[in-house]
Amino acid sequence: MAIVAQSSKYGRVSRATLAWVVGLLFFFPIFWMVLTSFKTDADAVKPEYLLFFQPTLENYLNMTENYDYWRFARNSVITAVFATIFALAVGIPCAYAMAFNPSRATKDVLMWMLSTKMLPAAAVLYPMTFLTKSMGLFDTHFLIIVVLMLINLPIVIWMLFTYFKEIPKEIIEAGQMDGVNTWGEIREILIPLAWGGIASTALLCFIFCWNEAYWTVRLTTTEAATLSKLIEGNRAPEGLFFGRLSAVSTAAVGPIVVLGWFCQKQLVQGLTFGAVK
Amino acid sequence: MGRIQLEKVSKSFGDVEVIPPLDLTIEDGEFAVFVGPSGCGKSTLLRLIAGLEDTTSGKVLIDDADVTQVSPSKRGLSMVFQTYALYPHMTVRKNIAFPMRMAGLSEDEQEKRIMAAAESLNLTDYLDRKPGQLSGGQRQRVAIGRAIVRDPKAFLFDEPLSNLDAALRVGMRIEITEMHARMKTTMIYVTHDQVEAMTMADKIVVLQAGVIEQVGSPLELYSAPKNLFVAGFIGSPKMNFIEGDEASKHNAKTVGIRPEHIDVVESGGAWTGTVGVAEHLGSDTFFHVHDTGLAETLTVRALGNVALNHGDTISLSPRVNEMHRFDDQGLRIA
Ligand SMILES: Nc1ncnc2c1ncn2[C@@H]1O[C@H](COP(=O)(O)OP(=O)(O)OP(=O)(O)O)[C@@H](O)[C@H]1O
Ligand SMILES: [Mg+2]
């Protein structure tokens, strides 16, 4: 008895230790970024100021005054929010159809959707750039919203499909027998039942949109440029301004970290695929 | 009104033909029971009527209107599922109100019907609970409540009682039968329990491997089963089947006799054997008799308590005029 209790206690302690180590490991770069953002560019590269230095808000002031942080932030919010809404608007009916009226091709369609993620983005960069420029869409919110929605659609549909699959088919059928049409079914039964799953899908999609850098950097100049572009712009070819870069990066990831913090429970549930029931 | 007709309806899943083309008519107000062993296609047939499965060929008619291409939501039928299929995110009240809300009934009318249904199903105290907080029997009542409030053309039940314990099952069986007597709405009820079929049905449809073996009233099936399958399936305990010399004596390949049509006599009966197991129920005694030279085991039902036990010799007298005769194909000889 005592041995069992003890070993399980050791188990708990070692598991907790491991969790802390892994957690700190993942947290360290963020911590370092935040720390560096309060150093001047000059201090940032001096080893003697590694941990102890004169903190300054210079980088942040500089960012909001000279770089128009708020415009980039607004663009990030607009594009990520609308891309997520549209991705769900397309993804929910799509996943509904595949989960409750599967055909022989359903599995293949799902695989095919995922396979679109296997195409290296670089391979279509030039066609995309020329096409959007000649269509007059380059550097517009519309373009970024569509692109963000499309690149996230496969994962959105996959996640929703997995959640919807957990809803017993009879409940959907009961709805049909009770006289609801397809939209009513989605609105009255599916969405309330899969609410947790839909929320975590939306959250994940939003995070992916927010952090997307490849296309947002390359398909924008000023009008629709997002925070990714702002970070990219501070990469500074003439030298390394670590303090400034860290401040920009901190300000870019800040909102999403806060959002993620508040939705932690949703996210964990969502990513472990156990939300419905 | 609720007259349901199937015309040459068939169903295949991929290459597997689960239901070969069949014709069936269920009259308005009738209580029809589909019965048959597991996997014989009862649920599939019911779902074809409901519209939850597409027919592979043939037509489904409700009140003479072809509904084959009509979606389930527009057929005007209600269904009670084996798993209840209540909406877990809605209270009992909302569950019952749901079909009425979808049909656009006024709030007052909805409330009136909810109260009436809750009253008759003993659910008044549970209206504000969620399905997760109810027992199996209560959930089943909610499912029935949800089905009755919208005055469907017909009710479809798919093994609604199979998740309930025996006592509750008997109670609900009686309630559903009474409900039918009161409402006189067409009901189609699927079960693999032949006792439910016998006690509830106006018309029993016996299915085997998607084929209708016989359609008839419970007593027709009991007294004149068309073939060996129906003879063996209807009645409890099962009919005894005897082949060989004894059958030849009656000009048949097989003769069948029900346990209740074999009398236990003091001595001098036509058949003798040894008692294998004696089940004393008080009201009846069932004997499983071996060594009769007729069949491996004969089941015999005697009224009251008969004091014979394992190993005793038993003398039996079959009522010859109650025997059923079957030919080489297993079909009834009139
Ligand atoms: N969606 C499906 N795809 C393929 N085969 C199916 C499907 N649904 C049912 N079947 C097959 O059709 C046959 C009939 O099934 P059905 O559910 O109608 O049987 P049942 O008589 O209701 O049985 P039970 O008493 O066990 O409920 C079975 O052999 C089953 O395997
Ligand atoms: Mg079934």
Side-chain angles (χ1 to χ4, degrees), chain A residues 78-272:
Chain A
I78 291 175
T79 52
V81 165
F82 282 100
T84 304
I85 291 175
F86 290 141
L88 288 179
V90 175
I92 290 176
C94 188
Y96 166 82
M98 288 197 292
F100 298 110
N101 297 299
S103 75
R104 260 177 242 225
T106 299
K107 279 263 131 45
D108 299 329
V109 171
L110 279 167
M111 265 328 282
W112 169 75
M113 284 184 198
L114 208 61
S115 75
T116 61
K117 301 290 289 179
M118 296 172 194
L119 177 75
V124 287
L125 175 62
Y126 282 101
M128 276 295 279
T129 315
F130 291 132
L131 269 174
T132 54
K133 275 191 172 151
S134 71
M135 287 162 80
L137 292 174
F138 190 80
D139 196 22
T140 57
H141 287 128
F142 176 78
L143 174 68
I144 298 304
I145 290 169
V146 170
V147 167
L148 288 180
M149 168 188 134
L150 289 179
I151 59 177
N152 283 308
L153 206 47
I155 184 81
V156 165
I157 293 176
W158 264 82
M159 280 183 72
L160 291 175
F161 176 78
T162 319
Y163 293 118
F164 293 174
K165 271 300 225 204
E166 287 192 29
I167 298 175
K169 196 164 183 246
E170 286 86 37
I171 293 182
I172 299 297
E173 290 176 343
Q176 291 171 9
M177 295 306 294
D178 283 344
V180 221
N181 59 23
T182 305
W183 289 113
E185 189 99 64
I186 291 178
R187 201 180 54 238
E188 301 278 344
I189 299 171
L190 186 74
I191 292 182
L193 277 183
W195 181 242
I198 293 172
S200 45
T201 306
L203 196 63
L204 202 70
C205 179
F206 184 82
I207 293 173
F208 285 169
C209 290
W210 185 275
N211 288 340
E212 208 285 332
Y214 190 84
W215 293 110
T216 47
V217 165
R218 284 168 181 80
L219 296 179
T220 60
T221 45
T222 50
E223 280 309 306
T226 63
L227 287 169
S228 303
K229 183 88 176 175
L230 179 64
I231 300 177
E232 164 76 15
N234 279 280
R235 223 166 19 102
E238 69 273 22
L240 292 169
F241 302 112
F242 278 133
R244 204 201 295 172
L245 187 60
S246 297
V248 170
S249 303
T250 306
V253 300
I256 209 76
V257 170
V258 173
L259 185 71
W261 182 268
F262 281 113
C263 306
Q264 236 179 47
K265 200 169 138 236
Q266 277 305 336
L267 257 186
V268 171
Q269 266 184 355
L271 295 176
T272 50

Side-chain angles (χ1 to χ4, degrees), chain B residues 107-150:
Chain B
E107 296 270 332
D108 291 347
E109 183 63 24
Q110 287 185 27
E111 188 59 24
K112 212 172 79 194
R113 294 199 194 178
I114 291 171
M115 292 323 288
E119 188 86 25
S120 71
L121 291 163
N122 277 329
L123 287 170
T124 317
D125 295 341
Y126 307 106
L127 282 176
D128 295 315
R129 290 207 200 166
K130 293 262 178 80
Q133 301 162 307
L134 299 177
S135 73
Q138 290 162 343
R139 283 180 213 185
Q140 191 54 275
R141 283 166 214 274
V142 178
I144 293 173
R146 186 174 65 179
I148 60 177
V149 285
R150 53 185 280 244

Side-chain angles (χ1 to χ4, degrees), chain B residues 84-96:
Chain B
Y84 316 137
L86 300 176
Y87 308 121
H89 58 298
M90 300 183 196
T91 59
V92 169
R93 180 191 300 277
K94 291 224 170 94
N95 261 283
I96 298 177

Side-chain angles (χ1 to χ4, degrees), chain B residues 102-302:
Chain B
M102 292 302 118
L105 263 63
S106 74
E107 296 270 332
D108 291 347
E109 183 63 24
Q110 287 185 27
E111 188 59 24
K112 212 172 79 194
R113 294 199 194 178
I114 291 171
M115 292 323 288
E119 188 86 25
S120 71
L121 291 163
N122 277 329
L123 287 170
T124 317
D125 295 341
Y126 307 106
L127 282 176
D128 295 315
R129 290 207 200 166
K130 293 262 178 80
Q133 301 162 307
L134 299 177
S135 73
Q138 290 162 343
R139 283 180 213 185
Q140 191 54 275
R141 283 166 214 274
V142 178
I144 293 173
R146 186 174 65 179
I148 60 177
V149 285
R150 53 185 280 244
D151 280 335
K153 291 185 181 141
F155 291 103
L156 311 178
F157 292 95
D158 192 356
E159 307 206 24
L161 308 185
S162 58
N163 287 339
L164 304 181
D165 69 47
L168 210 53
R169 203 149 62 212
V170 175
M172 284 302 290
R173 195 168 85 198
I174 293 166
E175 273 184 48
I176 293 175
T177 313
E178 273 179 359
M179 199 173 90
H180 177 251
R182 204 168 55 234
M183 303 201 302
K184 301 189 173 55
T185 309
T186 313
M187 291 190 181
I188 305 178
Y189 187 104
V190 165
T191 179
H192 58 249
D193 179 350
Q194 59 95 20
V195 177
E196 272 178 25
M198 293 297 281
T199 51
M200 301 173 93
D202 296 324
K203 177 194 265 177
I204 296 181
V205 179
V206 183
L207 288 161
Q208 186 194 12
V211 177
I212 296 181
E213 296 285 346
Q214 189 168 0
V215 179
S217 73
L219 288 182
E220 270 165 29
L221 299 196
Y222 177 83
S223 54
K226 264 190 187 162
N227 54 38
L228 283 174
F229 178 78
V230 178
F233 196 78
I234 299 292
S236 170
K238 240 173 87 112
M239 185 186 283
N240 297 293
F241 292 117
I242 299 162
E243 294 188 353
D245 290 346
E246 182 68 26
S248 311
K249 264 201 277 179
H250 300 277
N251 297 319
K253 175 77 190 339
T254 314
V255 291
I257 185 154
R258 296 195 183 278
E260 52 272 39
H261 297 147
I262 304 175
D263 294 318
V264 179
V265 292
E266 289 285 324
S267 60
W271 303 338
T272 49
T274 31
V275 174
V277 176
E279 296 171 320
H280 299 277
L281 301 182
S283 59
D284 302 283
T285 310
F286 293 107
F287 294 108
H288 300 271
V289 181
H290 302 304
D291 308 326
T292 52
L294 302 164
E296 191 156 337
T297 311
L298 277 188
T299 313
V300 177
R301 174 179 179 180

Side-chain angles (χ1 to χ4, degrees), chain B residues 13 18 36-45 53 82 158-159 190 192:
Chain B
F13 289 110
V18 175
S38 187
C40 69
K42 308 177 294 285
S43 299
T44 306
L45 199 54
E53 299 284 356
Q82 181 172 0
D158 192 356
E159 307 206 24
V190 165
H192 58 249

